[in-house]
Amino acid sequence: MDRDGADPEHAGQPAIIAPMFRIARTLALAFCMAVAAAAATVAPAEAAAELPGGKANYVVSLGHLKDGSTHNNWVRLGTYAFDAASGTVSAKMYVWSQAAPKPRIGTGTVPDASCTTTDPKSTTRVLDCEVKTIDGFTTSPNETRTGVYTLQTDTINGVPTPTVWISWNHATAWTEKWAIETGTGLTRLSFLHNTKATLGYGYGSNASLGTRRAMSSVQAHDATMRLDGRSWSKDTVTISSGVFQNQAFTTCQTTTWCLTHLQPTSARACQKDGGCPNYGGGTTANISSIQYYIEKLSNTDRRDTLWHWCTCLAMERGERCYTGNSHVKPMLQVIDDTGTFRGWVGVEASFWPNGGTNPRANDMLSVFRLADWT
């Protein structure tokens, strides 16, 4: 969520909770290609009389993020539903692309006074701003497709590994392949190959895709949730990692579908590239803080949204609630077989709103998982 002109918050984006979005400038493409190259089929495909990892319903995030590309990157977020009887899979996805950038929109929710403040100098609470998300995420998915799948065993890094291969019914050839990892009440998909995407994450269970947990459960979840992500900004793909401290967030008493958190000091993240020349450099007036908001978007599906931005960037514009290049991150809850919240898969779709000769160069896109795994 960022600045006019030089976009410092592509570095502030990872500041969710230090060191949650710690960024190392490592190419994601090299990682994905190396993993895909390691897979060599050693067993014939089985008839699709089984589910991947024994699970029917998955939440999935995908992206096409490449260094040096400023117009062809995209992210997808949605669900896969597998049917063992027919060997078919159906996808319902939200799609955001640099080819058709979308604006941020208000969700209609201003968190109540128990978890916000009107004082921009507060060192304990976020400001009472209307939570924003990316246009399109408050409605139904804008892409649906169907396909067929097969299960097989591949050797990956010398280890026999269950995999699922999907072939989508699409105007152009589109296949993808995932390694299947089984955990406690949950199956994880690890990206191996995709005709169109460069990376992705997935988690599945037999809980219905309409099952979700309240924000109070999200805040109280006591298992460590770790971040694994790839981010694109300034023509460069980087790796994000860290730990999400969900219990640092505050629950709201009347707007119970919201969580908020003020990260008090984030000078390095917020002032990278000179993002706050007039208001950066100190913490007395809380000018180096980051404002974080998480909101549930539906009672009937897994949608949550994360919004965050540097306080000093709003001050630079003479604003209380930031209208610049803030970070908007649609997310889907990971729910296990028992209906327990286990984290999220998500994307960032923060398109530069301030014009200029090459606005797409200042976009911030990412694909990530933020979940516990046992």
Side-chain angles (χ1 to χ4, degrees):
M1 316 178 171
D2 287 344
R3 133 193 176 203
D4 297 329
D7 174 30
E9 280 209 42
H10 70 280
Q13 154 191 353
I16 264 206
I17 300 280
M20 170 177 169
F21 276 68
R22 184 176 300 152
I23 295 181
R25 286 195 170 273
T26 304
L27 301 182
L29 269 180
F31 171 83
C32 297
M33 292 174 65
V35 174
T41 302
V42 297
E46 303 169 10
E50 300 178 9
L51 294 168
K55 312 302 181 187
N57 299 317
Y58 285 76
V59 289
V60 176
S61 59
L62 289 168
H64 177 275
L65 304 178
K66 285 192 172 183
D67 293 315
S69 172
T70 59
H71 295 86
N72 299 316
N73 296 302
W74 54 258
V75 293
R76 279 174 162 83
L77 179 67
T79 60
Y80 287 3
F82 292 87
D83 180 6
S86 62
T88 59
V89 56
S90 59
K92 296 181 179 180
M93 307 296 288
Y94 294 91
V95 183
W96 295 282
S97 169
Q98 286 185 304
K102 297 292 185 181
R104 296 156 183 78
I105 61 170
T107 62
T109 295
V110 177
D112 66 66
S114 71
C115 57
T116 62
T117 181
T118 60
D119 180 9
K121 295 184 180 181
S122 172
T123 59
T124 59
R125 294 185 182 181
V126 299
L127 292 164
D128 59 338
C129 299
E130 180 185 9
V131 180
K132 296 197 183 317
T133 190
I134 187 66
D135 188 20
F137 197 48
T138 58
T139 58
S140 299
N142 58 350
E143 177 187 83
T144 59
R145 47 190 152 88
T146 59
V148 295
Y149 74 94
T150 57
L151 304 176
Q152 59 193 46
T153 299
D154 292 349
T155 297
I156 301 175
N157 295 327
V159 179
T161 303
T163 60
V164 57
W165 182 279
I166 301 173
S167 179
W168 296 106
N169 299 320
H170 194 263
T172 58
W174 190 348
T175 59
E176 61 188 66
K177 191 174 188 178
W178 304 82
I180 301 169
E181 302 174 75
T182 55
T184 304
L186 202 62
T187 291
R188 182 166 70 178
L189 298 180
S190 291
F191 184 89
L192 293 175
H193 160 79
N194 191 299
T195 306
K196 299 182 182 295
T198 59
L199 71 156
Y201 303 99
Y203 288 88
S205 73
N206 288 319
S208 76
L209 291 170
T211 301
R212 61 163 295 118
R213 292 278 73 85
M215 285 296 106
S216 56
S217 297
V218 171
Q219 192 276 339
H221 187 61
D222 60 1
T224 300
M225 292 191 290
R226 297 189 179 279
L227 171 74
D228 179 22
R230 303 294 183 273
S231 301
W232 182 96
S233 183
K234 299 292 186 182
D235 299 349
T236 302
V237 177
T238 56
I239 293 177
S240 302
S241 63
V243 174
F244 186 72
Q245 297 178 8
N246 54 297
Q247 293 184 337
F249 279 71
T250 300
T251 54
C252 303
Q253 293 178 0
T254 58
T255 48
T256 56
W257 55 94
C258 296
L259 296 174
T260 64
H261 173 68
L262 185 74
Q263 183 174 324
T265 56
S266 297
R268 184 173 65 88
C270 293
Q271 296 171 51
K272 183 177 176 60
D273 299 333
C276 296
N278 299 311
Y279 292 95
T283 59
T284 303
N286 200 30
I287 55 180
S288 293
S289 62
I290 298 182
Q291 316 264 336
Y292 289 102
Y293 308 76
I294 300 176
E295 181 187 345
K296 174 186 73 174
L297 290 185
S298 171
N299 289 320
T300 59
D301 58 45
R302 307 279 187 89
R303 280 177 294 161
D304 291 335
T305 192
L306 170 64
W307 182 46
H308 62 95
W309 44 277
C310 289
T311 307
C312 65
L313 295 175
M315 297 174 70
E316 292 286 340
R317 297 165 65 104
E319 300 174 339
R320 191 174 78 192
C321 299
Y322 188 43
T323 62
N325 201 28
S326 60
H327 294 275
V328 280
K329 296 177 178 177
M331 305 187 297
L332 296 178
Q333 289 189 356
V334 174
I335 303 293
D336 70 14
D337 286 343
T338 67
T340 300
F341 171 81
R342 302 286 296 275
W344 296 278
V345 294
V347 299
E348 177 167 12
S350 303
F351 298 102
W352 180 253
N354 299 320
T357 57
N358 187 15
R360 300 287 64 81
N362 291 310
D363 294 338
M364 299 174 294
L365 305 174
S366 69
V367 180
F368 60 90
R369 62 185 176 196
L370 180 55
D372 72 64
W373 181 250
T374 57

